[in-house]
Structures are given as structure tokens and as C-alpha cells.
């Protein structure tokens, strides 16, 4: 009996070559976009000490309570976690290497994140984010820059139907006052709280506002508003962000219930949301997190960042019928005989030197079967090398698409001739 085929872990997807083509195009686009704003790439490990996420994200959050892939290193007993997001790792790296020593930093990263959630459309256990972090900036200009740059990316990608929601979470004192009022309010309505909310009532009442439970929407909509507690500084900061958005014709909605899933945010928070992905409509989310750097052991410094979910963005593009821009082969090289093989290899390498995309047939077979493969390869031309060609130090060129005559070309002028034919 043969072994059963092993399958990928649930919620962790293979990205097959055809789709990967779209990913490559997306990654190139994103990279140009980030460079246009002067952001520099940083790469962190996929695995971090569990304590980092507990401290950064907060113990009473969905991620830390139930979504982390945490395990003990069987060799030394260390408590480790597959990163569920990038901000904590990025800040850890910046502090560990003292990057804020004499200049603020504009950084970006891309890669896998891991969360043990119920897999569904737009929600996976391994997914990918592009993360952008601006560290050491206190003013509203950087918050606005991040939002403006998102708008530019949507335009570049041709994404419409995505709306911006913003809010301010104020500063620590206002949040503390708001927190106390929330606890009092929810205590008065304890019977209407679901189990999650009951549990969070004293540990993290702000998160109750983030509930997705329809039965609690009414209660939540009448809860005390943080807006009413904000200090003048925070209001000014928020207004300055809005002024820049207005200058750039970026439409937004102020959503006072936008609190974000993680604990570390303060002041500006924002989300870009589409109605086209069902409940998984948030494609990009972020905000200011002035307290985080100190919280994970650094000298206090303000910061702001956002992350976008690549799967959700690509799902939007695919819904619009966006296919990967093709990167077709120029040449499929067929050859038969020992001497022909030697020449075929030399020709293939020299064509690649000339910048052409060449697939050299491997695995032998008749000319006829090789030509079939050439036809199916999508290449523009077949280069054919047999004994006759070796004797003449030449090749036969055969157009595979759009008709055209077969011709004999010397190896010297070959790259030039291929260029002319594929122009
Ligand atoms: P949600 O409310 O959808 O669970 P979140 O608040 O947990 O989102 P963030 O931690 O802010 O999400 O992550 C930023 C972005 O990463 C999200 O807006 C989304 O596009 C994407 N994302 C988050 N979790 C997943 C997931 N499990 N699968 C795919 N994409 C995800
Ligand atoms: Mg989530």
C-alpha cells in the first residue's frame, strides 16, 4: 500500500506558480511605492520570544488569548511564538540594534504572519502582510503621510471601493477616564454582555466596543464616548491629520467606534475597508503607538505604523479580473545528439547573457516531442539544433506564434535576430 499524501496545515496555503506571478508583480509594485516615500526594508525572524507579544500586543487581546502559535523549544525550554504581526518584532529589532540612536526611522517589511483563527475567505492561519513603521516621529504629519501613501497605492493597484475610517484614541489620561466610565456603564448593563465582554469588563473594557456580536451593537452604540474625554493636544493632533487628508482630497469617515484589535495604539487609528470581501473587509489597518517602545524596554519614543493583508488585497484585484502580467519565454531550445547538446548549452547561456529568457529542453526525446513541448511553452520562438546545425555553426529559428518562416541563423548574430523577431 502506498503512503497517504500529506496535506498542508489547515489555513496555510500553497501559492502555485500561476498565482505567484501575481504576487511577484504585486511585490514589485509595493517596493517601488515604498521607495518613493523613502521607507527602508527591514527583515525580522519569524519566531520571537512569546513574552514580546504578550508585552506588546497585550494579554487581554484576541491574538494573545487565543490566536498565537506558541511552543516550547524542546532543546532549551524557551517559550517561543510564530509572529502573529510585525510591529512588535520591528520595534524589538530597532531597539536591540539602537537604530533610533540619532535619527527617526521609516521602515517596512513583508512576510508571513501566523494566527490560529477559523479559516474562511480572507482569513487564514498563515497570511502575509506588508508592514510600515515610522519610529521617532511625534507630529501629525507622519500619520497623514501614511494614509496618503496608502491612497496612492490603491490608485497604483487600481483598487476602488475602499473607504477610509479614522478615529483618535487620545492619550493615556483620557483613556483612563473613558475606561472608568465604560466599566460603570457596562456594569449597569451586565446582563446584556456576552461571555467575552463579561470577561473583558475589568481587564479591557475598550475592547468590548470592538465586538462583532450583533446582539451587543445597540448597547455598544450608547456607551460613553472617548471623544468626550479627549485633551486639547490630542484633538489638535487629530485635526491636523484631517487637514492634510482634506488637502489631498482623501475622503474619510470618522468612526468613533474604531478602536483596533491591539492594545498598543493611541491617538490616530485608521482602517481601509471594502464591502466586497464580506466580513473580512479590512485590507489595511494602523495607527499611532507612542507608548509601545517604552513598553518593550526602550527609551520612550513616539511611533506610527500600519499593516495590510496581502491575501485580501489580491482577492480584490482578482475579483476585478486582474491576472498576472505574463512574463513569457523568448526561446524554447530543442536539440538532439551529443554535439548538438554541447552547442545548445553554449547558445542558451549566451542568449541569457544577452538578456533573453531561454528554456533549454532537458530529458531528451525526438525532435517531434520536443517541438510539442516548445509549442505548449508559450515561448515566441524555437531554436533548433541538430547535427546539420552543428556542422554549420548555426541554428534553425522557428516562430511558434503568428506564423512566419523558419530560418537558419549563425550563432554570432542569433541574439540580435531574436530581438528583431520578438519586438
Ligand atoms: P480582523 O478584524 O479582520 O481580524 P485584525 O484587526 O486582526 O483584523 P490586524 O492585526 O490589524 O488585523 O492586521 C492588519 C491586516 O492584516 C488586516 O487588516 C487584514 O487585512 C490582515 N489580516 C489580519 N488577520 C488576517 C488573517 N487571519 N488572514 C488574512 N489576513 C489577515
Ligand atoms: Mg483579527
Amino acid at each position: 500500500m502506498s503512503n497517504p499524501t500529506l496535506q498542508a496545515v489547515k489555513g496555510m496555503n500553497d501559492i502555485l506558480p500561476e498565482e505567484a506571478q501575481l504576487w511577484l508583480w504585486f511585490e514589485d509594485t509595493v517596493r517601488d511605492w515604498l521607495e518613493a516615500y523613502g521607507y527602508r526594508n527591514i527583515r525580522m525572524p519569524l519566531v520571537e520570544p512569546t513574552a514580546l507579544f504578550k508585552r506588546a500586543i497585550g494579554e487581554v487581546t484576541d491574538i494573545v488569548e487565543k490566536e498565537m502559535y506558541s511552543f516550547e523549544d524542546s532543546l532549551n525550554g524557551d517559550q517561543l511564538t510564530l509572529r502573529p504581526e510585525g510591529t512588535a518584532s520591528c520595534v524589538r529589532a530597532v531597539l536591540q540594534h539602537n537604530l533610533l540612536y540619532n535619527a527617526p526611522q521609516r521602515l517596512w517589511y513583508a512576510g508571513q504572519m501566523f494566527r490560529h483563527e477559523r479559516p474562511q475567505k480572507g482569513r487564514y492561519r498563515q497570511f502575509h502582510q506588508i508592514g510600515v513603521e515610522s519610529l521617532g516621529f511625534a507630529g501629525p504629519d507622519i500619520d497623514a503621510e501614511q494614509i496618503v501613501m496608502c491612497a496612492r497605492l490603491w490608485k497604483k493597484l487600481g483598487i476602488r471601493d475602499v473607504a477610509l475610517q479614522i478615529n483618535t484614541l487620545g492619550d493615556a489620561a483620557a483613556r483612563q477616564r473613558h475606561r472608568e466610565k465604560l466599566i460603570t456603564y457596562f456594569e449597569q448593563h451586565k446582563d446584556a454582555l456576552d461571555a467575552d465582554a463579561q470577561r473583558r469588563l475589568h481587564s479591557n473594557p475598550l475592547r468590548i466596543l470592538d465586538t462583532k456580536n450583533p446582539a451587543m451593537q445597540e448597547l455598544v452604540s450608547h456607551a460613553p464616548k472617548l471623544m468626550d474625554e479627549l485633551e486639547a493636544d490630542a484633538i489638535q493632533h487629530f485635526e491636523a491629520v484631517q487637514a492634510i487628508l482634506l488637502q489631498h482630497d482623501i475622503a474619510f469617515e470618522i468612526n468613533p467606534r474604531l478602536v483596533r484589535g491591539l492594545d498598543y495604539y493611541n491617538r490616530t487609528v485608521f482602517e481601509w475597508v471594502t464591502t466586497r470581501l464580506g466580513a473580512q473587509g479590512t485590507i489595511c489597518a494602523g495607527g499611532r503607538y507612542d507608548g509601545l517602545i517604552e513598553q518593550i524596554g526602550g527609551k520612550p519614543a513616539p511611533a506610527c505604523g500600519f499593516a495590510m493583508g496581502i491575501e485580501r488585497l489580491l482577492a480584490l484585484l482578482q475579483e476585478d479580473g486582474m491576472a498576472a502580467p505574463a512574463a513569457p519565454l523568448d526561446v524554447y531550445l530543442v536539440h538532439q545528439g551529443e554535439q548538438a547538446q554541447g552547442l545548445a548549452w553554449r547558445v542558451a547561456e549566451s542568449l541569457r547573457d544577452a538578456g533573453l529568457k531561454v528554456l533549454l529542453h532537458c530529458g531528451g526525446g525526438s525532435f517531434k516531442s520536443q517541438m510539442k513541448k516548445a509549442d505548449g511553452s508559450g515561448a515566441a520562438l524555437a531554436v533548433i539544433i541538430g547535427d546539420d546545425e552543428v556542422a554549420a555553426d548555426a541554428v534553425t529559428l522557428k516562430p511558434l506564434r503568428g506564423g512566419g518562416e523558419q530560418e537558419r541563423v549563425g550563432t554570432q548574430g542569433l541574439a540580435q535576430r531574436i530581438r528583431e523577431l520578438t519586438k
Side-chain angles (χ1 to χ4, degrees), residues 223-237:
K225 306 257 181 304
L226 178 64
M227 280 291 180
D228 300 331
E229 308 296 332
L230 294 182
E231 322 264 9
D233 275 2
I235 292 173
Q236 242 173 37
H237 185 107

Side-chain angles (χ1 to χ4, degrees), residues 108-178:
W108 72 273
Y109 49 83
Q112 283 93 331
M113 306 294 161
F114 302 86
R115 297 186 192 176
H116 199 281
E117 306 199 65
R118 193 169 66 77
Q120 52 196 292
K121 188 184 173 204
R123 192 175 293 286
Y124 309 102
R125 290 181 176 171
Q126 177 187 264
F127 62 100
H128 298 73
Q129 286 183 338
I130 307 283
V132 174
E133 316 288 351
S134 310
L135 305 144
F137 296 90
D141 45 1
I142 201 84
D143 311 26
E145 174 176 284
Q146 293 193 348
I147 295 173
V148 168
M149 67 194 272
C150 287
R152 177 182 292 273
L153 181 63
W154 312 147
K155 211 154 144 199
K156 244 180 135 157
L157 294 171
I159 290 180
R160 285 159 282 116
D161 306 332
V162 53
L164 172 63
Q165 300 189 351
I166 59 174
N167 188 24
T168 178
L169 302 181
D171 294 314
R175 293 174 76 174
Q176 184 57 31
R177 283 195 301 278
H178 179 231

